[in-house]
Amino acid sequence: SKARRYDQEEGPKITFNDVAGIDEAENELIEIVDFLKDPSKYTRLGGAAPKGVLLVGPPGTGKTLLAKAVAGEAGVPFFSISASEFVEMIVGVGAARVRDLFSQARDQAPAIIFIDELDAIGRARGQAAIGGASEQEQTLNQILTEMDGFSSRQGIIVLAATNQPDVLDRALLRPGRFDRRVVVNLPDKVGREAILKVHTRGVPLANDANLAELAAETPGFSGADLKNLVNEAALRAARLGQNEVHFEDFMEALEKIILGPERPLLLSP
Ligand code: ATP
């Protein structure tokens, strides 16, 4: 049977230019970009480069975005799977897909493999819900086997995202596997302003649309929340026939988001 392509990204390339407000995490990944650009530069003296990096943080903070940006900056292909896809699968299917994924990445190395929601299959063995356990174990074992099976000289980096690092099977965290951890936190006020700037690049802002002030009004918002806020404000302004998005549009959108959605059906995603 024909190998499936794992969402290898096409279309516009994502770079660090698209990521904001999580500078520390970004800086920690610069070394990975450098490695992918020229793996032999790192390994020529016999050292082993990292193979796996765990991106840890709450939902919507930009873990997937960051992984794509690493691939984009390095100019290497991006292969991704979401571990939650495997949960309902027939025994053996998840493991086969993992094997296939790594095989494709090896063929096109240097490359990035991204595993989203690692905790969905990476939970400590024996702790899984009844029924799904053996499938989950097989899939997890296959990930461990694949990670042990390639040499860091091959130029493959596996990035995995989780918001529950504590439940992960310890075998995943051993040296040579996901032995590095990059924390991707919710942005602070300055970070939120930077993220708002990224997401309003294509949006005509009125003079009163002060993004610093908006950042101050949105504590606890993730990058994904801020993107949604900009989108809702732009829709509101358009609906009202305006040519620019005003501060009031943002505040109304904010109120709507905080109070819960009352979306007109036509605008539902
Ligand atoms: P999840 O854990 O739910 O998968 P995540 O941390 O992977 O979330 P993303 O899927 O990367 O988050 O974020 C969703 C979208 O929100 C991104 O595609 C991007 O448009 C926007 N976004 C999130 N964080 C940032 C950020 N730090 N800078 C710019 N945009 C961001």
Side-chain angles (χ1 to χ4, degrees):
S1 67
K2 243 184 153 199
R4 184 179 177 278
R5 286 180 69 133
Y6 290 92
D7 304 340
Q8 195 191 331
E9 294 300 300
E10 283 159 34
K13 185 171 98 162
I14 289 172
T15 67
F16 284 149
N17 203 18
D18 300 299
V19 183
I22 46 173
D23 298 354
E24 231 173 284
E26 196 178 309
N27 286 334
E28 288 185 62
L29 289 167
I30 286 173
E31 191 193 353
I32 302 290
V33 172
D34 204 40
F35 166 73
L36 287 168
K37 281 183 177 163
D38 185 4
S40 62
K41 180 176 134 193
Y42 280 76
T43 55
R44 73 189 173 87
L45 300 181
K51 288 179 172 183
V53 180
L54 204 56
L55 304 176
V56 176
T61 45
K63 298 181 291 297
T64 306
L65 183 70
L66 206 48
K68 287 180 179 169
V70 168
E73 290 285 336
V76 305
F78 179 83
F79 297 92
S80 78
I81 49 171
S82 176
S84 60
E85 291 168 29
F86 297 134
V87 173
E88 298 293 322
M89 280 184 178
I90 313 163
V91 176
V93 175
R97 286 192 51 194
V98 167
R99 206 173 317 133
D100 202 23
L101 173 72
F102 276 81
S103 141
Q104 289 191 51
R106 266 196 305 272
D107 288 347
Q108 293 194 45
I112 286 278
I113 293 176
F114 178 64
I115 306 176
D116 202 1
E117 300 181 70
L118 182 65
D119 43 273
I121 39 165
R123 252 164 222 283
R125 283 163 283 193
Q127 239 177 257
I130 297 160
S134 67
E135 162 60 4
Q136 184 212 302
E137 270 177 38
Q138 283 196 19
T139 309
L140 173 56
N141 287 338
Q142 192 63 39
I143 291 177
L144 298 175
T145 303
E146 295 292 345
M147 289 195 74
D148 294 345
F150 71 85
S151 135
S152 67
R153 250 167 296 142
Q154 285 174 277
I156 294 173
I157 297 281
V158 189
L159 299 177
T162 181
N163 46 31
Q164 288 185 278
D166 312 335
V167 306
L168 292 179
D169 195 296
R170 312 209 43 107
L172 279 165
L173 309 178
R174 292 213 189 106
R177 294 172 180 167
F178 295 101
D179 52 9
R180 301 207 177 185
R181 189 179 282 219
V182 171
V183 175
V184 188
N185 275 322
L186 284 171
D188 60 9
K189 181 177 169 296
V190 173
R192 292 194 298 276
E193 184 181 352
I195 294 171
L196 286 166
K197 275 194 186 132
V198 167
H199 288 287
T200 51
R201 268 179 203 153
V203 176
L205 293 178
N207 281 333
D208 71 349
N210 185 329
L211 298 183
E213 213 175 309
L214 190 55
E217 298 283 351
T218 48
F221 271 47
S222 68
D225 294 332
L226 293 167
K227 178 190 185 177
N228 180 39
L229 174 63
V230 169
N231 191 57
E232 290 291 336
L235 287 176
R236 178 183 195 270
R239 193 163 61 232
L240 295 178
Q242 299 165 198
N243 293 322
E244 290 176 323
V245 183
H246 287 266
F247 194 69
E248 195 196 340
D249 299 312
F250 286 106
M251 294 316 282
E252 289 292 327
L254 182 59
E255 194 173 333
K256 191 171 130 191
I257 289 168
I258 289 172
L259 292 180
E262 209 182 290
R263 298 190 184 184
L265 273 178
L266 280 172
L267 294 179
S268 299

